[in-house]
Amino acid sequence: MNAKPALVRPRFASDLDPQAALWLARLASIYTAAFHQFNDGMYVEELRKLIGITPIEGKISKAALIPLLKQRAVELEQQLPARKTALTRNVEMIAELLELDELQSRIIVFAAQSSQHSYLAEVLSNIHTGSRDAITKLLSFVLSIRESDIRKALRPDGNLLATRIVSIVRSDHGRGLEVEVPVQLRNALFVTANDMQVLMSSFLETSPQPLLQADAFEHLTKETELLTAYLASASNNSSRSGTHKTTGINILIYGPPGTGKTEYVRWLASHQGKALYQVRATDDEGDAISGQDRLAFFQLSQRFLQKTDVLMLFDEIEDVFPSSDRALSAFFSQQPVAGKMFINRVLETNPVPAIWVSNEVSHIDNAYLRRFDFSFEMGIPPIGVRRGILHKYLRGHAISDKAINYLAQQEALSPAQIEKAAKVLKGLGRKQQDKEATLLLVIENSRQLLDQDKNDGFLNFADCSYQLDYLNPDCDLNQLLAQLKRTPSSVGALCFYGPPGTGKTALAHYIAREIEMPLMVRRASDIISPYVGETEQKIALMFKQAKQDGAMLLLDEADSFLSERQSAKNSWEVTAVNEMLTQMERFEGLFICSTNLMQRLDTASLRRFALKIRFDYLKPEQRWQLFLAQTKKFARSNEAGYRSALNQLSNLTPGDFATIRRQAKLLNIALTADELLKRLQQECKTKSSSSHRQIGFIHTP
């Protein structure tokens, strides 16, 4: 393996190119706008001094000044110093790397100077260059090169524009187009750099070492095995030939923010014993670098690293691959967007294997997505992996196993949230008891901010053990759970039905945790669409994703999807039910539906459930045990009276107890036995009265 280049961040230093005076003199001698700027602008004396014309009091006529400017231009050209500036030396290094000729190098120098030199930028901003032909003429005159050669150098498919080292863009404040170098590269070009490594360090950096290890990615075993073999093949080709024979190796990893995508790439590179480099996403001031500029740096970095056995990471690609909508928007706003030809060329010719990371790919044109060799979605890791990540980040903070287990049960909790919470703990340095409370507070607030689903019913940190004894199903749940632990997929589809609050959804969450399977939860709001055909597509995608992730699929509010087709009023309702039935038949994993309205389900769907489990209201002894758990010693003072009152509440559910606990927390009241009983009675009364009322519009003749 070749030694990795050492990247040393340079200190910025300005190196003024004396050619700027020559260009100013030429511009003012031929362009009327430049002449007026020179003769009447706010920098008139400074401009004259820079060019070397003796200051003249008042204005001077064009007829008198033009000959002086032309003569001065000739003198400046003859007096150009032989020594190379930092700019010209750096451009020479880039030219050698990208195989650019002398003319292309001169254009880079001009583009860099025209933005960096304030006087030159001021003059150029007032020259009308509204077309490519106009800017070609300008470059031809200023650089003293034939127009035909300029056009050849600026061909869209030529090295100069194709690599995005130079771009022709619309000026922000000027009167047309301008030749531009990416700002981060432009700044680097004026730095005195001894070699290409120093120059590259302005926008290319070594990716940090991973914080997590193999156990954090054990749910990606198949993907890791494939990637390891594929990248090893490219490395073998490189070692045999000295260069990467297999070009265009591009991997796409996508998924929600915080799921560990970037960390996985870092671990993968470390696992293969390869150095990992990445194009910077921000500059030295912390400002974001545009996607177009980052692509240019990626191209340059690929050439720089092409003879080394390394990997490249391109993170946060959302602003790099535009959709057709973004391209159209950019057209009207006159903002540059990386062209399809250029992006395709990048994905086809990169000599260094690249791994691209994105939080969202739905906006990216399929024409780009098809170019990736291999892609996969990284979701929230399963409970066992989450538990391991928690132990990793919280090591040394004396967090109890109870708290660890509770947090691991939060299905939407991402590795990034865990890392940030651990960072807060480290910064606070509090005692053990405070640390645990702080940890739970930080994560809970994070979950609220991100609108992550909370656990249903009575599952919380105070009672995270989740006792099956508080459920009242018509089957043996312990026996069912034992079977699921052995062969979860053999059970097939399950239907949990019964009144609201009886623990149907909570049980599904509990099963997923116990058998340590990823849980995918979908509700009506996630799937039902007002657009024709989209509901069916979302149903199919739901099952596809569950299969890919090896996840248990929980469909809440199943009556919204599996309603009796005979009662359907619209054709799309029938097709949606048909699609759901078809997917249920094909699905080979564990599928659980929950519904409060069993009577509405289509009869064909009922045949597809291996088990239909009814959840009923709490039994008298269950009511008492839950009541006792909430009130402790207070209930013992009048056990007979409280038991008798609870026996009257025949429609009580575990969810009612959870509701009242939330009420008490919201209102900041103590739940004494009397207070709890009063509120339970009110909940049951409310349910009884609401059961006689219809929701929605009632037609009356």
Side-chain angles (χ1 to χ4, degrees):
M1 184 176 68
N2 296 325
K4 62 181 182 180
L7 297 181
V8 181
R9 298 294 304 280
R11 295 182 63 184
F12 182 81
S14 178
D15 196 350
L16 180 63
D17 192 334
Q19 260 192 332
L22 169 62
W23 294 337
L24 283 169
R26 286 176 177 172
L27 288 169
S29 69
I30 192 74
Y31 286 96
T32 301
F35 165 78
H36 287 302
Q37 185 75 15
F38 179 87
N39 197 41
D40 200 28
M42 63 185 297
Y43 305 117
V44 57
E45 292 303 322
E46 288 87 345
L47 286 170
R48 290 175 177 175
K49 289 178 182 178
L50 181 64
I51 294 177
I53 295 179
T54 305
I56 304 171
E57 290 191 15
K59 297 181 182 181
I60 185 172
S61 67
K62 189 172 184 178
L65 183 58
I66 294 301
L68 294 176
L69 289 169
K70 288 182 177 180
Q71 178 60 35
R72 185 56 183 156
V74 173
E75 295 171 357
L76 287 169
E77 188 172 17
Q78 294 173 347
Q79 297 171 6
L80 285 177
R83 70 178 182 88
K84 296 178 180 180
T85 64
L87 173 62
T88 55
R89 287 194 299 270
N90 289 337
V91 171
E92 283 182 358
M93 287 191 292
I94 290 178
E96 182 180 358
L97 192 66
L98 299 180
E99 300 177 352
L100 305 176
D101 58 30
E102 183 181 354
L103 171 55
Q104 293 169 324
S105 299
R106 291 176 68 180
I107 293 175
I108 296 176
V109 172
F110 175 80
Q113 281 281 33
S114 64
S115 299
Q116 197 80 357
H117 196 297
S118 60
Y119 301 112
L120 187 59
E122 183 75 18
V123 168
L124 287 169
S125 68
N126 287 279
I127 298 175
H128 183 73
T129 53
S131 66
R132 291 182 68 95
D133 189 61
I135 201 165
T136 299
K137 290 180 180 297
L138 182 145
L139 289 172
S140 173
F141 178 73
V142 173
L143 301 179
S144 198
I145 298 171
R146 292 181 303 180
E147 288 185 30
S148 59
D149 292 335
I150 295 291
R151 288 193 183 91
K152 183 179 179 180
L154 294 179
R155 286 177 53 183
D157 59 347
N159 268 359
L160 201 59
L161 293 186
T163 58
R164 285 297 202 268
I165 300 303
V166 166
S167 301
I168 298 177
V169 300
R170 188 148 311 267
S171 174
D172 293 334
H173 308 290
R175 302 169 63 189
L177 303 175
E178 63 182 13
V179 182
E180 180 182 84
V181 176
V183 63
Q184 193 74 4
L185 175 60
R186 186 180 72 223
N187 293 339
L189 288 175
F190 288 90
V191 175
T192 301
N194 297 323
D195 52 38
M196 197 63 192
Q197 295 175 359
V198 177
L199 184 62
M200 294 294 297
S201 67
S202 297
F203 44 82
L204 180 68
E205 60 186 359
T206 306
S207 188
Q209 289 295 307
L211 298 174
L212 301 176
Q213 298 304 316
D215 56 350
F217 309 108
E218 61 184 20
H219 58 300
L220 302 172
T221 300
K222 293 181 179 179
E223 290 82 0
T224 300
E225 289 176 353
L226 190 151
L227 285 177
T228 299
Y230 188 45
L231 295 173
S233 173
S235 181
N236 291 334
N237 288 336
S238 173
S239 60
R240 287 194 297 266
S241 63
T243 59
H244 291 278
K245 291 295 184 182
T246 306
T247 61
I249 294 179
N250 295 282
I251 313 299
L252 175 63
I253 302 175
Y254 62 97
T259 52
K261 300 181 295 294
T262 302
E263 186 71 4
Y264 172 75
V265 177
R266 292 168 178 168
W267 171 81
L268 182 66
S270 176
H271 176 62
Q272 292 204 306
K274 297 180 184 292
L276 179 68
Y277 291 88
Q278 61 187 51
V279 175
R280 297 175 64 188
T282 58
D283 59 22
D284 292 331
E285 285 71 40
D287 297 325
I289 302 174
S290 72
Q292 183 170 331
D293 287 352
R294 293 175 70 208
L295 273 177
F297 301 150
F298 177 82
Q299 279 282 81
L300 188 58
S301 301
Q302 282 282 327
R303 297 290 186 93
F304 174 62
L305 298 169
Q306 63 183 340
K307 295 184 179 180
T308 61
D309 189 18
V310 300
L311 298 176
M312 282 202 68
L313 164 65
F314 203 121
D315 208 348
E316 302 174 7
I317 68 171
E318 284 74 15
D319 61 341
V320 173
F321 296 94
S323 64
S324 56
D325 292 339
R326 280 184 61 202
L328 184 64
S329 175
F331 174 79
F332 286 109
S333 65
Q334 299 181 336
Q335 294 298 314
V337 173
K340 186 170 291 187
M341 181 185 298
F342 170 63
I343 293 179
N344 290 342
R345 180 173 177 177
V346 169
L347 295 176
E348 292 171 354
T349 62
N350 55 300
V352 180
I355 303 177
W356 308 72
V357 173
S358 176
N359 295 327
E360 178 61 56
V361 297
S362 61
H363 75 283
I364 300 177
D365 195 311
N366 286 338
Y368 303 129
L369 296 178
R370 287 193 292 267
R371 299 272 175 177
F372 291 99
D373 306 330
F374 179 68
S375 62
F376 68 92
E377 182 178 14
M378 183 179 292
I380 301 295
I383 183 172
V385 175
R386 292 199 302 273
R387 187 179 292 112
I389 294 173
L390 282 160
H391 279 294
K392 172 74 175 179
Y393 280 117
L394 299 175
R395 186 179 296 131
H397 292 293
I399 305 299
S400 68
D401 288 340
K402 182 179 181 181
I404 294 289
N405 289 332
Y406 167 72
L407 293 173
Q409 293 168 7
Q410 314 306 311
E411 287 86 3
L413 188 64
S414 70
Q417 290 172 279
I418 299 171
E419 181 186 6
K420 297 298 183 185
K423 180 181 178 182
V424 173
L425 291 187
K426 184 177 180 181
L428 292 176
R430 296 184 176 180
K431 298 178 180 180
Q432 177 180 347
Q433 185 178 357
D434 289 336
K435 278 192 174 185
E436 191 160 286
T438 299
L439 172 67
L440 294 169
L441 176 64
V442 170
I443 288 184
E444 182 60 28
N445 287 346
S446 174
R447 284 167 49 77
Q448 290 181 6
L449 177 66
L450 299 175
D451 196 28
Q452 295 174 343
D453 291 336
K454 296 181 179 180
N455 290 317
D456 289 354
F458 46 89
L459 182 62
N460 55 30
F461 181 59
D463 185 25
C464 61
S465 59
Y466 189 87
Q467 299 181 42
L468 298 180
D469 294 340
Y470 295 146
L471 302 180
N472 187 18
D474 61 356
C475 84
D476 188 339
L477 294 182
N478 289 309
Q479 183 181 358
L480 173 63
L481 190 61
Q483 178 61 29
L484 287 171
K485 287 182 177 179
R486 288 193 293 270
T487 53
S489 60
S490 66
V491 177
L494 306 176
C495 180
F496 295 170
Y497 69 99
T502 50
K504 304 181 296 295
T505 303
L507 177 62
H509 284 254
Y510 175 77
I511 289 173
R513 288 188 294 271
E514 285 297 301
I515 64 178
E516 296 194 352
M517 283 187 69
L519 178 64
M520 179 184 294
V521 182
R522 293 294 184 270
R523 299 178 177 84
S525 57
D526 302 320
I527 299 175
I528 295 179
S529 170
Y531 303 105
V532 177
E534 192 166 288
T535 298
E536 293 92 315
Q537 293 176 5
K538 288 185 176 182
I539 290 172
L541 181 61
M542 172 182 71
F543 282 95
K544 180 181 178 181
Q545 289 178 339
K547 181 180 179 180
Q548 289 176 343
D549 297 342
M552 183 182 107
L553 178 58
L554 169 61
L555 181 61
D556 213 354
E557 307 164 358
D559 48 278
S560 301
F561 309 95
L562 296 172
S563 298
E564 181 66 53
R565 285 168 289 184
Q566 294 179 353
S567 62
K569 297 180 180 180
N570 303 295
S571 60
W572 65 265
E573 294 178 280
V574 176
T575 58
V577 173
N578 290 338
E579 180 65 29
M580 180 67 72
L581 294 176
T582 301
Q583 294 295 337
M584 287 176 62
E585 191 74 30
R586 296 175 179 175
F587 188 59
E588 297 177 353
L590 180 56
F591 178 45
I592 298 178
C593 287
S594 69
T595 178
N596 303 327
L597 303 168
M598 183 67 165
Q599 67 277 11
R600 291 188 181 180
L601 297 192
D602 190 275
T603 52
S605 70
L606 297 178
R607 295 194 298 269
R608 286 168 167 80
F609 292 111
L611 282 175
K612 294 174 280 289
I613 303 174
R614 173 176 171 78
F615 290 71
D616 212 337
Y617 298 112
L618 292 169
K619 298 176 181 178
E621 186 58 28
Q622 291 175 317
R623 303 171 209 163
W624 170 246
Q625 291 299 326
L626 269 174
F627 186 83
L628 193 63
Q630 297 298 308
T631 56
K632 299 180 180 178
K633 62 181 182 179
F634 298 106
R636 295 292 189 186
S637 61
N638 183 22
E639 180 173 343
Y642 290 128
R643 277 181 174 271
S644 176
L646 289 171
N647 287 339
Q648 306 301 314
L649 306 179
S650 59
N651 59 344
L652 205 58
T653 70
D656 295 327
F657 285 87
T659 298
I660 292 169
R661 282 202 303 273
R662 289 193 293 268
Q663 291 176 1
K665 183 179 180 180
L666 179 65
L667 300 174
N668 194 25
I669 58 175
L671 274 182
T672 63
D674 289 338
E675 184 68 26
L676 177 59
L677 178 61
K678 182 182 71 175
R679 292 185 177 273
L680 287 173
Q681 291 171 333
Q682 184 59 47
E683 286 294 318
C684 291
K685 182 179 179 181
T686 301
K687 286 192 290 185
S688 298
S689 61
S690 63
S691 66
H692 301 293
R693 299 196 303 267
Q694 291 181 289
I695 299 175
F697 297 98
I698 301 175
H699 176 73
T700 55

